[in-house]
Amino acid sequence: VSRALNKPGRINSDTEAKIRAAAKELNYRANPMARSLPTGRTHMVAVIVADITNPMNFDAIRGAEFSAARSGYTTVIAESQESGRLEATALERIMPSVDGVILASSRLNDDEIAALAETKPLVVVNRRVDGVADVVPHVEPGIAAAIEHLKNLGHEHVAFIEGPAGAWMSNHRWNIILSQAVGAGLTVVKIGPNEPTFEAGRNSFDLVRASGATAVIAYNDLLAIGFMKAAQANGVSVPGLVSVIGFDDIFASEITTPSLTSIKSPLLDSATIAVERLLATIDGKNPDQSVPSSLYTTLVVRESSGPARKG
Amino acid sequence: VSRALNKPGRINSDTEAKIRAAAKELNYRANPMARSLPTGRTHMVAVIVADITNPMNFDAIRGAEFSAARSGYTTVIAESQESGRLEATALERIMPSVDGVILASSRLNDDEIAALAETKPLVVVNRRVDGVADVVPHVEPGIAAAIEHLKNLGHEHVAFIEGPAGAWMSNHRWNIILSQAVGAGLTVVKIGPNEPTFEAGRNSFDLVRASGATAVIAYNDLLAIGFMKAAQANGVSVPGLVSVIGFDDIFASEITTPSLTSIKSPLLDSATIAVERLLATIDGKNPDQSVPSSLYTTLVVRESSGPARKG
DNA sequence: CTGAAAGCGCTTACAG
DNA sequence: CTGAAAGCGCTTACAG
């Protein structure tokens, strides 16, 4: 029976047909738990994010879930609540139940991640860890466009509101902004670290103002929006006195006033590809490790960026 | 060994201690799949939402996840993408792996839900289905406050932008708005059905304007914000010409301009309680079915509601 | 092609 | 209190 249902063609087709008919009539469903005992496969993958409610993570969750479901895998999502300890606890609980894990926004350090990757197939998204599979979109194009945009608007001094101390992607973005801004003849400073939240963006206002920057790029849109709201609350008009650019292009960026210029990152595709590679690894294949050229950032210009105030 | 680890005190304590020490040293973890075969328990619960990325569902997901984790259960989240068919497919796949399910925002009809509930422990949140356990907060207090608020501001005609056709909660809110508005001497009309989205809110603008209402209450905040943005785009000032009130008090409501007045619903607590009841049912208990008095809605007044335009 | 059997890693009566 | 055994529902070599 097992052969009939699982290896179509491997047995007499009459027999197979009869078995299938009976199975259908009885509405038979294989018990996934029983199945996983002899095979060692659970057909589940874990997706770890720092915060389920942070729009930054939506597309990662969606892409992973979609991609997994398409292959018959079910996704379990765990949240680290921005805490490495909670993340470890959650992982401890979930690891034995899954065939592999996607780290979409992890608070673990590189060593912990590398150790985890020894245990089970694992791929990190938006981060690079030595010896661990990753999917990281090309961030240069979007940043280049943003820097050029600001330069064309007459800006000379820009501030980067960075993300959490441990966030690889925040550093990555900063490094590229730094080299491109300098290359374009702009001055640039980094302000932070900050939690990747609206509140933290608001709190960054004073330091950003103190820096004298006329344009800010934030590690993510929530930080950018928080900063923008603080600016408005302090009578500093956006983009009149300061231009603001975020990262990720979350939904909220469209509905703020002014709407937010943002560097959009292909999180959905990144997560989709990450899961595909994860499943390939689980199946014992050796997936391509290069970054698809389709994965690149783009600048979405809206109302929060404008000409630098003269003089 | 099994007894030593799982039924503390049931065996000689020396033996138990030795076994525990050895287990710790070997870093032993029971295989959850193997465990579930003889017991029939998977220690997983499913949470079904229509849309993971709709802020409406955040607190439901969080509350459920938190509550489940506290009891050692892992949560698997499935998304129906606003489609009953996809929801059925997802459920089909996940049902055999979980001990119970929370329906946080389901697109299934009552009969389908009742049938599902025959299969496994199930509790619905924010909806009432005959014969099925539910958790529905008291929606009257928040609506009463909203109606009074509008009446005090001089409004006489209000429109309700309703949610999806099948959404029990949308009807529930409408029924209460209807009776309370009429009770307060206001006229009230219902406009819809609409998807529970920003876009749908925007699209509702023409019909709402046609109705002549000077105040609108929307089924959720996204609809309210969409309507507000369409109003502004059409030169209709909020709250100058029309007041807008949403439901749920999502994060985005604070950052729009003007910020959105909203009727806050205790989704986090509702989901927490739902999971507690679900787990009790799984454990063969008969949980309390009454609605805790702590579960009630409240009005959060912000900038989108103001005096009715005179004359 | 197709039976019959062993085994996956646990739990839980059942004896002793 | 504690061995030894059966059984949970599958899959997969192994014979025939």
Side-chain angles (χ1 to χ4, degrees):
Chain A
V1 170
S2 178
R3 275 187 296 251
L5 263 22
N6 298 321
K7 324 252 180 186
R10 288 272 312 262
I11 77 170
N12 182 302
S13 60
D14 282 3
T15 319
E16 181 179 332
K18 268 185 230 162
I19 292 179
R20 286 190 180 285
K24 175 164 286 183
E25 177 159 350
L26 296 173
N27 206 256
Y28 170 80
R29 296 276 171 278
N31 175 333
M33 302 300 139
R35 171 172 280 178
S36 79
L37 237 201
T39 61
R41 297 289 203 69
T42 65
H43 288 269
M44 299 203 285
V45 294
V47 176
I48 313 294
V49 295
D51 179 356
I52 313 188
T53 66
N54 192 322
M56 260 181 81
N57 296 314
F58 288 175
D59 279 346
I61 293 174
R62 267 231 172 127
E65 147 95 327
F66 175 77
S67 183
R70 189 170 48 187
S71 296
Y73 275 70
T74 108
T75 310
V76 358
I77 298 167
E79 194 188 10
S80 67
Q81 318 249 35
E82 308 285 359
S83 143
R85 203 174 43 72
L86 284 178
E87 185 172 347
T89 308
L91 243 12
E92 172 97 348
R93 193 184 66 233
I94 290 174
M95 258 343 233
S97 302
V98 300
D99 291 336
V101 4
I102 299 284
L103 253 32
S105 52
S106 177
R107 282 302 183 101
L108 300 180
N109 62 42
D110 286 11
D111 290 347
E112 294 171 311
I113 292 177
L116 246 188
E118 297 296 316
T119 314
K120 295 224 169 153
L122 179 155
V123 4
V124 294
V125 178
N126 267 352
R127 176 165 175 175
R128 209 101 63 182
V129 178
D130 255 17
V132 178
D134 66 57
V135 177
V136 179
H138 301 287
V139 60
E140 292 82 359
I143 291 179
I147 296 291
E148 196 193 335
H149 175 61
L150 291 178
K151 182 159 186 162
N152 289 342
L153 291 169
H155 292 275
E156 295 171 352
H157 307 296
V158 359
F160 177 63
I161 305 179
E162 69 170 328
W168 182 90
M169 184 49 90
S170 178
N171 268 316
H172 185 57
R173 288 174 178 173
W174 164 243
N175 287 332
I176 295 171
I177 288 170
L178 178 58
S179 76
Q180 295 206 2
V182 169
L186 308 181
T187 68
V188 59
V189 293
K190 177 175 70 170
I191 289 168
N194 308 284
E195 287 300 291
T197 61
F198 175 77
E199 208 44 45
R202 191 132 76 176
N203 295 336
S204 72
F205 177 72
D206 290 340
L207 283 180
V208 173
R209 278 311 270 169
S211 77
T214 63
V216 340
I217 303 180
Y219 162 62
N220 74 10
D221 287 344
L222 246 28
L223 280 167
I225 295 172
F227 171 82
M228 198 159 80
K229 290 296 163 182
Q232 292 170 334
N234 285 278
V236 173
S237 111
V238 177
L241 290 176
V242 58
S243 286
V244 180
I245 298 181
F247 249 108
D248 296 334
D249 191 26
I250 64 175
F251 164 74
S253 303
E254 278 180 66
I255 64 171
T256 55
T257 307
S259 56
L260 182 71
T261 294
S262 183
I263 299 168
K264 186 184 180 74
S265 193
L267 237 356
L268 193 88
D269 291 340
S270 301
T272 302
I273 291 172
V275 168
E276 281 166 5
R277 290 183 178 180
L278 184 70
L279 297 185
T281 306
I282 290 171
D283 285 338
K285 288 170 201 150
N286 236 317
D288 181 16
Q289 285 293 347
S290 63
V291 182
S293 58
S294 61
L295 289 186
Y296 58 89
T297 53
T298 50
L299 180 69
V300 180
V301 176
R302 296 207 183 82
E303 304 162 351
S304 64
S305 49
R309 188 177 42 145
K310 300 305 170 196
Chain B
V1 170
S2 177
R3 275 188 296 250
L5 264 23
N6 297 319
K7 323 249 180 189
R10 287 272 313 263
I11 78 170
N12 184 302
S13 59
D14 282 3
T15 319
E16 182 179 330
K18 269 185 231 163
I19 294 178
R20 285 191 181 285
K24 175 163 287 181
E25 179 160 347
L26 297 173
N27 208 258
Y28 170 81
R29 295 276 171 278
N31 175 332
M33 303 300 141
R35 171 172 277 177
S36 80
L37 237 201
T39 61
R41 295 287 204 71
T42 65
H43 288 271
M44 299 201 286
V45 294
V47 176
I48 313 294
V49 295
D51 178 356
I52 313 188
T53 67
N54 192 322
M56 257 182 84
N57 296 314
F58 288 176
D59 279 346
I61 293 175
R62 269 233 169 127
E65 148 94 327
F66 174 79
S67 183
R70 190 170 47 188
S71 297
Y73 274 69
T74 108
T75 310
V76 357
I77 298 167
E79 195 187 11
S80 67
Q81 318 248 38
E82 308 285 357
S83 143
R85 204 174 42 72
L86 284 180
E87 185 172 345
T89 308
L91 244 11
E92 173 98 348
R93 193 184 69 234
I94 290 174
M95 258 343 232
S97 302
V98 300
D99 292 337
V101 5
I102 299 285
L103 254 32
S105 52
S106 177
R107 280 302 183 100
L108 301 179
N109 62 41
D110 285 10
D111 290 348
E112 293 172 309
I113 292 177
L116 248 188
E118 297 294 317
T119 313
K120 294 224 169 152
L122 179 155
V123 2
V124 295
V125 178
N126 268 352
R127 175 164 174 176
R128 209 99 64 181
V129 179
D130 255 17
V132 177
D134 66 58
V135 177
V136 178
H138 301 287
V139 60
E140 292 82 358
I143 291 179
I147 296 291
E148 197 193 332
H149 175 61
L150 291 177
K151 181 154 187 168
N152 289 342
L153 291 168
H155 292 277
E156 294 172 353
H157 306 297
V158 359
F160 177 64
I161 305 179
E162 68 170 330
W168 182 89
M169 184 49 89
S170 179
N171 267 315
H172 185 56
R173 289 173 177 173
W174 163 243
N175 287 332
I176 294 171
I177 288 170
L178 178 58
S179 76
Q180 294 204 3
V182 169
L186 309 180
T187 69
V188 60
V189 294
K190 178 176 68 171
I191 289 168
N194 308 284
E195 285 301 290
T197 61
F198 175 77
E199 209 42 48
R202 193 133 75 178
N203 295 337
S204 72
F205 176 72
D206 289 340
L207 283 181
V208 172
R209 280 311 273 169
S211 76
T214 62
V216 340
I217 303 179
Y219 163 62
N220 73 10
D221 287 344
L222 245 29
L223 280 167
I225 294 171
F227 171 82
M228 201 158 77
K229 291 295 164 183
Q232 292 170 335
N234 284 278
V236 173
S237 111
V238 177
L241 290 175
V242 57
S243 287
V244 180
I245 299 181
F247 248 108
D248 296 333
D249 191 27
I250 64 175
F251 164 74
S253 302
E254 279 180 65
I255 64 171
T256 55
T257 305
S259 56
L260 182 70
T261 296
S262 182
I263 299 168
K264 186 184 182 70
S265 194
L267 236 357
L268 192 87
D269 291 340
S270 301
T272 302
I273 291 171
V275 169
E276 282 167 5
R277 289 183 179 180
L278 183 70
L279 296 185
T281 306
I282 290 172
D283 285 338
K285 289 171 198 148
N286 235 317
D288 181 16
Q289 286 293 350
S290 62
V291 182
S293 57
S294 60
L295 291 185
Y296 58 88
T297 54
T298 49
L299 180 69
V300 179
V301 177
R302 295 204 184 84
E303 303 162 353
S304 66
S305 50
R309 188 177 44 145
K310 301 304 171 197

